[in-house]
Amino acid sequence: MFKTIVIGTDGSNEADAAFAVAASTAQAQSARLVVVHVVELLSGKGGQYPLHVDEDEIHNRIVAAVGKLKKKGVAVDLEVHQVAYGGPSH
C-alpha cells in the first residue's frame, strides 16, 4: 500500500508516538521511511543558535531511533535541516 512514508519529528512525546506508528507501518509494508527533523534557529547579534536548549539531545535520540530501525532492516533515511526564519513548516 505505501512505498514511502515521511514523518516529521521535533522530539516531543507526540512526535515519538507518531514515529513509532510510522516505523511499524514501514516495517510491515516494506516501505521506505524518511524521517525529517528541522532545527529552528534564533538569530541575534551574536549569531544563530537552536531554539531548543536540548537540541543536541533531541538530535541524538532521533539518530539512535533511526539506527535501531536500520538494524531491523527497515529502509530509513534521516534528513536534518535548519531554518532561521519562517518556522519549520516552511
Side-chain angles (χ1 to χ4, degrees):
M1 185 172 167
F2 294 107
K3 292 182 182 180
T4 302
I5 300 169
V6 179
I7 180 78
T9 182
D10 61 1
S12 66
N13 291 336
E14 294 80 7
D16 288 348
F19 180 89
V21 171
S24 175
T25 303
Q27 189 171 20
Q29 297 192 11
S30 299
R32 177 175 169 243
L33 181 63
V34 179
V35 180
V36 180
H37 177 65
V38 178
V39 179
E40 192 171 2
L41 301 174
L42 289 177
S43 298
K45 290 182 181 181
Q48 294 182 332
Y49 302 94
L51 175 66
H52 299 287
V53 191
D54 58 345
E55 185 60 48
D56 289 338
E57 179 185 326
I58 292 168
H59 178 79
N60 290 339
R61 283 187 318 156
I62 294 168
V63 168
V66 167
K68 286 180 184 177
L69 289 177
K70 284 184 178 182
K71 286 182 182 177
K72 290 182 178 180
V74 177
V76 58
D77 295 309
L78 172 61
E79 293 192 20
V80 178
H81 301 276
Q82 294 183 344
V83 63
Y85 302 103
S89 62
H90 295 284

